[in-house]
Amino acid sequence: MLIESKLPDVGTTIFTIMSKMAADHQAINLSQGYPGFNAPQGLLDLVTKHMNLGNNQYAPMSGIPLLRERIREKVRLETGFSYDAESEITVVSGATEAIYSAITTVIQPDDEVIVLEPAYDLYVPVIKLCGGIPVFVSLNMPDFSVDWEKVNAAVTEKTRLIMVNTPHNPGGYVWTQDDLNQLGALVESRNLLVISDEVYEHITFDGRAHLSLMTHPVLREKTFVCCSFGKTFHVTGWKVGYCLAPKELTAEFRKVHQFVTFSTPTPFQFALAEYIQDPKAYQTLSDFYQKKRDLFCQGLKSTQFEFTPAQGSFFQLVSYGHLSQEPDLELAKRMTIDYGVACIPISVFFHDKKDHHILRFCFAKSDEDLTKALNKIQSLVF
Ligand code: PMP
Ligand code: GLN
């Protein structure tokens, strides 16, 4: 070996593995989370328009001013709170980059970071690349709510950061006002920052509201709120997102961001700046996905799986521990190869790969594909 691995325990992400397996076996891909349908035509036309107008060179490092201003307006409309477009809003290349840059901005070697598990697979490797130490706290089963006693007990003198994800991937849990208050009380008197991954901010069900951490006065001062247009406008491949943080945090964040990507593709920024002016474009998303969640859950009732309908995100979990002890990775592979439906085993979202016998299905697919997939899932034999 010519180099010593910085991430010796990390392999290729499960999303790449399962999507490849789905393609190899022509399975319906309910594994990696991306919409199985195109973005709105109006948005696509705007990108072409701006490419033809010549908006094809580097965008300003922090994002084009018009998009930052429109993000400011969108956030104010949704939460009543106004970030400064010049010094507190940064356009980034997807929430992945926002989270990478935010962790890198904050973490010094030996700093501890609270990670609530199961956790999206990006967080821990980035914490480790920075020399940080992840401290794991498990979420409550089966609803993936937060056990605040456990979180409080995990905080030490060395804790510098806590990772939050609401609505939660893979659990679907949506934070409540009490969760915000508990975290607010925890960070208030401590030198402790928060990264809040809110990429599913516009996908909540059954009348639940998404409560951004920015709506809490204490948290707002200490949080990098990371969002993505990918989930909201069905354009996960564009990798455009934004990071909201108070001025001093944003100044440090931009020092890192400028050397990670420098800037984010220009025509997409112009197109999104025009498109997000109409709030309907994102305010209708929860209804759109609730129909899909309901269709999927209705079909699941005719299977042997146990499940609780997701509160948010576009993922539905199912458990099968009452039927079999087959490892979840084995079952996910078997379903892909033998039944033609790919899904994600959620043991990958735990640092010790603990197997709770739970699978994750993405329901951001056409109704036709969901119906076909359900027929296949209904024939599963344990
Ligand atoms: N956080 C979570 C919880 C996600 O599910 C994803 C994947 N879509 C991301 C971050 C990354 O978002 P983006 O594609 O905008 O980089
Ligand atoms: N966020 C998506 C998921 O959870 C995957 C994104 C990716 O493949 N990096 O499935």
Side-chain angles (χ1 to χ4, degrees), residues 259-281:
F259 297 125
V260 177
T261 56
F262 182 73
S263 64
T264 297
T266 310
F268 296 144
Q269 292 198 46
F270 276 97
L272 286 161
E274 281 195 47
Y275 199 73
I276 65 172
Q277 269 178 295
D278 177 7
K280 274 206 296 304

Side-chain angles (χ1 to χ4, degrees), residues 34-298:
Y34 64 88
F37 33 82
N38 207 352
Q41 191 58 45
L43 179 56
L44 302 178
D45 291 344
L46 285 168
V47 178
T48 314
K49 177 179 119 179
H50 283 288
M51 283 184 169
N52 288 327
L53 281 173
N55 288 321
N56 298 305
Q57 309 312 326
Y58 294 127
M61 181 271 275
S62 56
I64 63 165
L66 187 64
L67 180 55
R68 280 186 280 118
E69 177 53 27
R70 295 275 159 79
I71 292 169
R72 188 192 71 76
E73 284 166 14
K74 171 180 178 288
V75 168
R76 192 178 52 83
L77 184 75
E78 295 274 294
T79 66
F81 182 72
S82 205
Y83 282 88
D84 181 57
E86 193 48 43
S87 60
E88 298 185 317
I89 299 175
T90 310
V91 178
V92 291
S93 296
T96 303
E97 199 238 3
I99 295 162
Y100 183 98
S101 296
I103 293 173
T104 306
T105 300
V106 175
I107 291 306
Q108 308 274 358
D110 295 330
D111 284 346
E112 291 181 3
V113 184
I114 306 256
V115 176
L116 307 175
E117 278 197 322
Y120 187 58
D121 68 348
L122 162 75
Y123 311 152
V124 171
V126 183
I127 293 165
K128 288 188 176 166
L129 281 175
C130 296
I133 301 165
V135 174
F136 298 99
V137 175
S138 19
L139 293 167
N140 295 321
M141 294 286 201
D143 66 352
F144 300 91
S145 59
V146 184
D147 183 331
W148 286 105
E149 261 178 43
K150 276 201 226 155
V151 175
N152 280 293
V155 172
T156 72
E157 284 296 298
K158 288 165 81 184
T159 311
R160 189 78 184 95
L161 185 66
I162 172 160
M163 302 297 304
V164 171
N165 175 210
T166 178
H168 188 259
N169 175 11
Y173 179 74
V174 176
W175 274 40
T176 62
Q177 188 61 51
D178 183 56
D179 291 319
L180 265 62
N181 294 344
Q182 295 272 7
L183 183 60
L186 179 65
V187 303
E188 189 161 19
S189 55
R190 292 186 170 90
N191 184 16
L192 186 49
L193 296 175
V194 182
I195 294 177
S196 186
D197 177 347
E198 302 186 9
V199 300
Y200 301 102
E201 61 179 328
H202 296 296
I203 314 179
T204 56
F205 306 128
D206 306 316
R208 260 181 211 92
H210 164 66
L211 295 177
S212 172
L213 265 57
M214 76 178 83
T215 61
H216 189 287
V218 171
L219 295 176
R220 180 190 306 149
E221 295 306 315
K222 297 199 161 205
T223 301
F224 296 86
V225 177
C226 301
C227 298
S228 174
F229 290 115
K231 318 288 164 184
T232 304
F233 298 123
H234 317 316
V235 289
T236 57
W238 289 8
K239 300 297 285 189
V240 188
Y242 51 95
C243 178
L244 311 170
K247 194 172 168 184
E248 298 73 25
L249 296 183
T250 292
E252 289 302 314
F253 175 89
R254 286 181 183 172
K255 290 184 192 173
V256 176
H257 157 76
Q258 67 184 341
F259 297 125
V260 177
T261 56
F262 182 73
S263 64
T264 297
T266 310
F268 296 144
Q269 292 198 46
F270 276 97
L272 286 161
E274 281 195 47
Y275 199 73
I276 65 172
Q277 269 178 295
D278 177 7
K280 274 206 296 304
Y282 49 88
Q283 285 173 348
T284 51
L285 200 65
S286 287
D287 285 347
F288 173 80
Y289 275 124
Q290 171 133 9
K291 291 197 184 80
K292 294 197 180 289
R293 185 208 63 170
D294 290 349
L295 185 157
F296 196 65
C297 286
Q298 188 57 35

